[in-house]
Amino acid sequence: MDTTENADEYADESPNGTTRTGGASSPARPRTGGPRTAAFFDLDKTIIAKSSALAFSRPFYQGGLINRRAVLRSAYAQFVFLVGGADHDQMEKMREYLSALTRGWNVQQVREIVAETLHNLIDPIIYDEAASLIEQHHAAGRDVVIVSSSGSEVVEPIGALLGADHVIATRLKIEDGCYTGEIEYYAYAENKAAAIRELAEVEGYDLAACYAYSDSSTDLPLLEAVGHPSAVNPDRALRKEAVAREWPVLVFDRPVELRRRLPEFSAPSGSVLTAVAVGTAVLTAGVIWYAARRRRPAA
């Protein structure tokens, strides 16, 4: 049956022995002698209300990296993304197009553009429910790990803002200050599951006691790798799987400014903001391709 529910008070109370590596606040968490556990979160439409790539189309247009047509296409793509997401074939095409489009882009130019816009664009679109769930898992003693196909340069600062212990994200190759057009590691589909299994070995996580959250059917391998999977704002295919497997289906629909949730929160410095630029630029390139495609009719 469909187990759609609000995410509040969903995490249970089992503690583990870890501490956060960063974030707005980092209280110590309880320790026990039992196996360590973690909660794994996808990023787009699970923690934040938009695509982390699409959010930056206008600043890149203003910086001369993309043209006006690409901005208009990305606005359309944001709508498509929010309605239904991208299937496996579309994601693979996006990856190929992304590599070709970003080849030769100057990394420093991208960093300077994103440094001026990242905080104002991302902070207001974090789901209140996701932030609360992250807090609950930390209070229960679990590590929080963000697992995203977005570039590590954008995922890591977002993870730091939210107090995540680790991030797993796509890595791009850079030589002589420019993108080479090659992807060193693509955090997508089965690669996500393999990555969390490797992290579990290093950190000593008992995956059967761990949690995972995602909106996309392409993350089924990630969800299947843990004992407590949940679908968040799921696409049609994932909702069907979640209902069939009796997984919880959570609805996150309250974006909130992090500064309003956490009065002690302060904006990251310019040096931190510049560090996120590379991943953001690359994902924006992928979005331009995605927007140009006509969405396939649902089966």
Side-chain angles (χ1 to χ4, degrees), residues 77-266:
Q78 184 69 267
F79 169 75
V80 173
F81 177 82
L82 292 173
V83 170
D87 62 21
H88 174 77
D89 290 342
Q90 289 171 326
M91 287 294 290
E92 287 300 306
K93 291 289 187 180
M94 183 186 298
R95 178 171 68 100
E96 295 170 4
Y97 183 77
L98 174 158
S99 300
L101 185 62
T102 60
R103 185 179 297 117
W105 280 18
N106 183 276
V107 173
Q108 184 59 34
Q109 179 189 7
V110 175
R111 287 177 174 169
E112 290 172 355
I113 294 171
V114 175
E116 299 174 358
T117 58
L118 174 73
H119 180 67
N120 289 336
L121 290 174
I122 295 299
D123 182 29
I125 61 174
I126 294 171
Y127 282 123
D128 188 30
E129 299 94 336
S132 295
L133 193 53
I134 288 170
E135 291 169 351
Q136 291 170 33
H137 279 297
H138 271 145
R142 300 188 189 92
D143 278 5
V144 168
V145 183
I146 297 178
V147 189
S148 174
S149 58
S150 298
S152 60
E153 295 85 354
V154 69
V155 181
E156 288 175 0
I158 293 173
L161 292 180
L162 294 168
D165 300 277
H166 302 281
V167 302
I168 295 168
T170 295
R171 296 191 304 271
L172 306 170
K173 189 173 182 179
I174 299 171
E175 290 182 357
D176 300 324
C178 296
Y179 299 114
T180 67
E182 299 175 18
I183 296 177
E184 292 183 341
Y185 169 72
Y186 188 32
Y188 172 70
E190 179 56 41
N191 287 349
K192 286 188 176 183
I196 72 166
R197 285 191 286 265
E198 291 177 6
L199 183 62
E201 286 190 21
V202 172
E203 297 292 333
Y205 299 144
D206 177 4
L207 287 177
C210 288
Y211 293 71
Y213 304 88
S214 178
D215 70 290
S216 175
S217 59
T218 63
D219 280 342
L220 274 172
L222 168 70
L223 296 171
E224 292 169 341
V226 302
H228 302 284
S230 292
V232 176
N233 301 336
D235 59 28
R236 182 178 298 181
L238 180 57
R239 176 176 287 274
K240 181 178 179 180
E241 287 289 335
V243 170
R245 302 183 192 210
E246 298 187 343
W247 291 348
V249 177
L250 308 181
V251 176
F252 293 177
D253 60 5
R254 298 196 305 268
V256 64
E257 290 188 19
L258 197 59
R259 285 170 292 190
R260 292 178 60 189
R261 285 192 92 259
L262 302 172
E264 72 275 19
F265 173 79
S266 60

Side-chain angles (χ1 to χ4, degrees), residues 267-285:
S269 66
S271 60
V272 171
L273 292 180
T274 57
V276 308
V278 178
T280 306
V282 170
L283 289 210
T284 300

